[in-house]
Amino acid sequence: MVLPGLLEIAVLLSLVISGCLGRDVLRKSSRDTAPSGFTFTGPAALDTPLTLKIALTQGNPSGLEDALYDVSTPSSSNYGRHLTKAEAAAYVSPTSETMSAITSWIRLNGLNATTMTPAGDWISIQTTAAQANTLFGANYNVYVHESTGKQVLRTLEYSIPEELTSHVTVVHPTIMFPKFSALSPVFSTQPKQRTQPRADAVVDPVGASCNSTVTPACLRSLYGIPITPATESHNKLGVTGYFYNWADRADLQNFLIEYRPDMSSSTTYSLETLDGGSDPQDIDEASSEADLDIEYTVGIATDVPVIFISVGESNNDGDLDGSLDTIIYLLNQDSPPQVITTSYGDWETDVDEGMAANLCNAYAQLGARGVSLMFASGDGGVSGIQPISCTTFVPEFPSGCPYITSVGGTIGTNPESGVSFSAGGFSNYWARPFYQSTVVPEYLDYLGSTYSGLYNASGRGFPDVAAQARNFEIVTGGITELASGTSCASPTFASIISLLNDELIAAGKPPLGFLNPWLYSTAAFALTDITSGNNPGCNTTGFSATAGWDPVTGLGTPVFSKLKTAAGL
Ligand SMILES: *[C@@H]1O[C@H](CO)[C@@H](O)[C@H](O)[C@H]1NC(C)=O
Ligand SMILES: *[C@@H]1O[C@H](CO)[C@@H](O)[C@H](O)[C@H]1NC(C)=O
Ligand SMILES: *[C@@H]1O[C@H](CO)[C@@H](O)[C@H](O)[C@H]1NC(C)=O
Ligand SMILES: *[C@@H]1O[C@H](CO)[C@@H](O)[C@H](O)[C@H]1NC(C)=O
């Protein structure tokens, strides 16, 4: 589980300086130094080309939230009446006042702006370092990332011009430095040599539990997942890939031969790329993260068309740019996949709040259009995406965003238990959403004063749900390995939602779309409550799973037949 891009922001100061006569304010953002790992090499040559992405203030984000909840809440008369691309975009389109301010500024400065999103809330301008310095009171320098040798242009401070202060929320790249993925995608893998097909792969006797290792067969028996092939070719399941994590078609074929001998072993994924993303098939390039994500979607969501969305780094510095470019790519599609699973993320503290809010609102647009977004909750327990040393709990991004479904992890069977690395907690950026208004206070009552001050009791709690997350048998680089991490859980849960969507679409009904209001109400009975396990981190034993929602396993793990009932099937 890692981040597509999240920008490291260490010390981010936002100063507000009153302008003359109090009419305008100059909004200045700065950081003291480059983060460790970057070396300053000198000012950028003045003619260095620089593409700046500018987020304009969105017109009516709370209207978007209302519209999202209206079409996603089963008790609403508009449940399932998803918005079109244009309807969703209209809520976040900048106001005419913002558009005229930005248009005059562009004209005054002789710039060419390109609109990046259907809402027009992101534009890009092609400049040079010299011009960007002038436009934004910046000082672009060249920094070298020591361990990769990559060069980036960044400034330690910039100001939004006075006439734009209330119209621009983020300019990028400026003071946020990329991370270049020092983190390993899957929590852990270990070799597991096995060459013979499993005798129980399809027969799936009662003994094939997920107790020691996890296979498609045991997930089928544990969660009641059908093997009946899906029929709807328009129902799509998207799997994102970042940081040179590429899936391998030969590994997938060997996986299907071994674990799904009832399926055609030539079943494969289709490819979409952006930012120069690719799909190299040299076996040495196979990534356990991407192979896991592909094998446990193609191999669980039988015959649902799976799309691998491979995000390169040609138009971005890796990191958060990858998330931003992915969401812009999806927002621009007329028919994005109805379900998308992502096994990458970041620490919430490391994502600029303005950028985080913008990405979260983009997820809301997709949700309002009927897309279910699943993200792995992270592998660091209460320390977030990965284990780190910490003195207060660190929420994960984007799990703190209330418009996505965050998937935590379990182990064992009979009963399942929360797995120790399952990230969970409470956001510092987003308040508790309406759909958590009963269950989260119940958990907080149970918690009492334990950990008081280490987490934000008013924040959005995560994860929402959970699934098995340890010792998944995968084929990668030609060998069988065991993979662990919430990266196992998100594709599993996403596959189940895709199979439900297949049946809904076949019945002429809308897909499930944004899941949480449904999961926390009508579908709550369709999840097995997990009541044991805890997620240590930050020198504590972490939160404990208990009856009801908890910040280790959320509402629990799926029961397919009951989810069908909850979906009206
Ligand atoms: C803007 O685009 C036009 C047409 O492509 C071009 O002639 C002009 O030089 C561009 N201006 C700038 C400032 O890049
Ligand atoms: C699962 O494994 C544990 C330890 O390996 C064992 O104690 C337990 O009985 C097993 N449970 C089942 C249902 O097989
Ligand atoms: C706690 O979360 C709320 C949003 O729910 C936020 O406004 C507040 O700033 C957060 N507190 C801290 C200390 O981050
Ligand atoms: C961790 O907690 C123990 C016991 O509360 C304490 O003695 C120790 O100093 C703590 N370690 C750190 C790094 O905070």
Side-chain angles (χ1 to χ4, degrees):
M1 161 100 234
V2 194
L3 43 161
L6 292 275
L7 307 167
E8 180 177 348
I9 310 181
V11 193
L12 177 63
L13 303 171
S14 258
L15 305 180
V16 175
I17 301 166
S18 293
C20 42
L21 306 175
R23 269 194 317 242
D24 290 311
V25 288
L26 179 69
R27 207 171 75 233
K28 179 173 167 178
S29 302
S30 67
R31 57 182 303 142
D32 293 341
T33 57
S36 66
F38 286 89
T39 308
F40 167 81
T41 63
L46 295 179
D47 59 355
T48 313
L50 182 58
T51 302
L52 293 178
K53 298 173 186 170
I54 301 177
L56 307 182
T57 306
Q58 300 182 327
N60 185 11
S62 70
L64 173 66
E65 182 184 67
D66 292 345
L68 170 70
Y69 289 160
D70 192 32
V71 299
S72 313
T73 305
S75 59
S76 158
S77 58
N78 288 321
Y79 182 61
R81 295 189 185 167
H82 299 126
L83 274 56
T84 63
K85 173 174 158 181
E87 286 167 346
Y91 286 103
V92 290
S93 288
T95 61
S96 53
E97 193 192 354
T98 290
M99 288 316 297
S100 76
I102 199 83
T103 307
S104 340
W105 177 80
I106 286 167
R107 197 179 300 124
L108 186 70
N109 290 287
L111 301 165
N112 279 346
T114 307
T115 300
M116 301 173 73
T117 52
D121 60 333
W122 276 96
I123 59 169
S124 72
I125 55 171
Q126 194 62 51
T127 62
T128 57
Q131 189 176 26
N133 285 344
T134 309
L135 290 171
F136 293 107
N139 214 334
Y140 277 92
N141 295 315
V142 178
Y143 296 87
V144 172
H145 184 245
E146 290 144 21
S147 60
T148 61
K150 286 196 184 187
Q151 292 196 347
V152 299
L153 248 58
R154 289 294 186 275
T155 174
L156 297 182
E157 63 173 17
Y158 79 103
S159 303
I160 310 267
E162 289 182 20
E163 64 274 28
L164 296 183
T165 23
S166 60
H167 305 299
V168 166
T169 54
V170 179
V171 179
H172 181 73
T174 49
I175 62 173
M176 295 191 278
F177 283 68
K179 276 187 180 159
F180 297 124
S181 169
L183 303 173
S184 128
V186 180
F187 182 61
S188 70
T189 58
Q190 42 179 288
K192 174 173 175 63
Q193 298 294 350
R194 188 211 296 277
T195 49
Q196 295 306 308
R198 293 169 59 91
D200 62 359
V202 159
V203 183
D204 191 18
V206 180
S209 82
C210 298
N211 202 14
S212 53
T213 64
V214 176
T215 61
C218 86
L219 290 172
R220 276 207 308 273
S221 103
L222 185 63
Y223 299 141
I225 307 169
I227 56 170
T228 326
T231 57
E232 302 306 302
S233 59
H234 296 298
N235 180 41
K236 303 253 166 50
L237 170 52
V239 176
T240 58
Y242 299 91
F243 298 131
Y244 310 105
N245 282 297
W246 295 305
D248 190 273
R249 292 176 195 274
D251 283 339
L252 173 61
Q253 183 168 30
N254 287 327
F255 179 84
L256 293 175
I257 289 169
E258 186 164 355
Y259 298 98
R260 286 302 306 268
D262 60 317
M263 277 177 75
S264 162
S265 65
S266 61
T267 310
T268 192
Y269 57 91
S270 58
L271 177 73
E272 292 183 14
T273 62
L274 61 142
D275 289 352
S278 61
D279 185 40
Q281 292 300 313
D282 179 341
I283 198 77
D284 295 339
E285 308 265 33
S287 124
S288 51
E289 174 68 69
D291 276 338
L292 164 68
D293 296 344
I294 283 295
E295 289 166 9
Y296 281 83
T297 46
V298 176
I300 299 287
T302 309
D303 285 6
V304 171
V306 172
I307 302 169
F308 183 58
I309 303 169
S310 177
V311 185
E313 295 183 3
S314 65
N315 185 34
N316 65 63
D317 287 330
D319 272 13
L320 188 56
D321 290 307
S323 302
L324 176 61
D325 288 354
T326 305
I327 197 70
I328 290 174
Y329 173 75
L330 292 166
L331 287 174
N332 279 309
Q333 291 190 359
D334 291 324
S335 307
Q338 292 87 343
V339 176
I340 298 168
T341 175
T342 297
S343 290
Y344 304 76
D346 200 356
W347 288 279
E348 189 180 84
T349 33
D350 283 358
V351 184
D352 167 72
E353 192 165 359
M355 184 69 100
N358 188 288
L359 289 168
C360 185
N361 289 346
Y363 300 141
Q365 286 178 68
L366 283 181
R369 291 171 59 185
V371 177
S372 306
L373 296 168
M374 254 127 305
F375 286 84
S377 77
D379 298 339
V382 291
S383 73
I385 191 100
Q386 296 282 326
I388 47 164
S389 84
C390 33
T391 50
T392 55
F393 297 169
V394 192
E396 198 265 358
F397 179 84
S399 290
C401 166
Y403 313 137
I404 60 100
T405 300
S406 170
V407 188
T410 61
I411 44 168
T413 53
N414 242 341
E416 293 178 78
S417 177
V419 66
S420 62
F421 54 74
S422 183
F426 301 85
S427 173
N428 286 315
Y429 287 175
W430 289 278
R432 181 185 311 138
F434 88 93
Y435 55 79
Q436 292 189 324
S437 62
T438 308
V439 294
V440 168
E442 282 170 2
Y443 185 81
L444 296 173
D445 283 349
Y446 158 83
L447 196 58
S449 60
T450 309
Y451 301 145
S452 176
L454 297 188
Y455 71 95
N456 192 330
S458 70
R460 182 268 208 263
F462 70 95
D464 299 298
V465 290
Q468 290 280 316
R470 194 187 63 175
N471 287 349
F472 273 47
E473 298 192 18
I474 62 169
V475 178
T476 187
I479 58 166
T480 305
E481 289 190 345
L482 295 179
S484 297
T486 50
S487 290
C488 302
S490 186
T492 301
F493 202 91
S495 293
I496 287 172
I497 298 302
S498 266
L499 288 169
L500 292 167
N501 277 345
D502 177 73
E503 296 192 38
L504 286 167
I505 292 167
K509 297 180 176 182
L512 289 166
F514 174 51
L515 298 172
N516 295 5
W518 175 71
L519 289 171
Y520 283 80
S521 62
T522 313
F525 86 100
L527 299 161
T528 303
D529 189 11
I530 308 303
T531 58
S532 64
N534 55 295
N535 54 359
C538 305
N539 202 23
T540 73
T541 55
F543 294 114
S544 296
T546 185
W549 179 90
D550 55 70
V552 187
T553 60
L555 297 165
T557 59
V559 181
F560 192 87
S561 59
K562 293 183 182 176
L563 286 166
K564 262 184 81 158
T565 306
L569 286 163

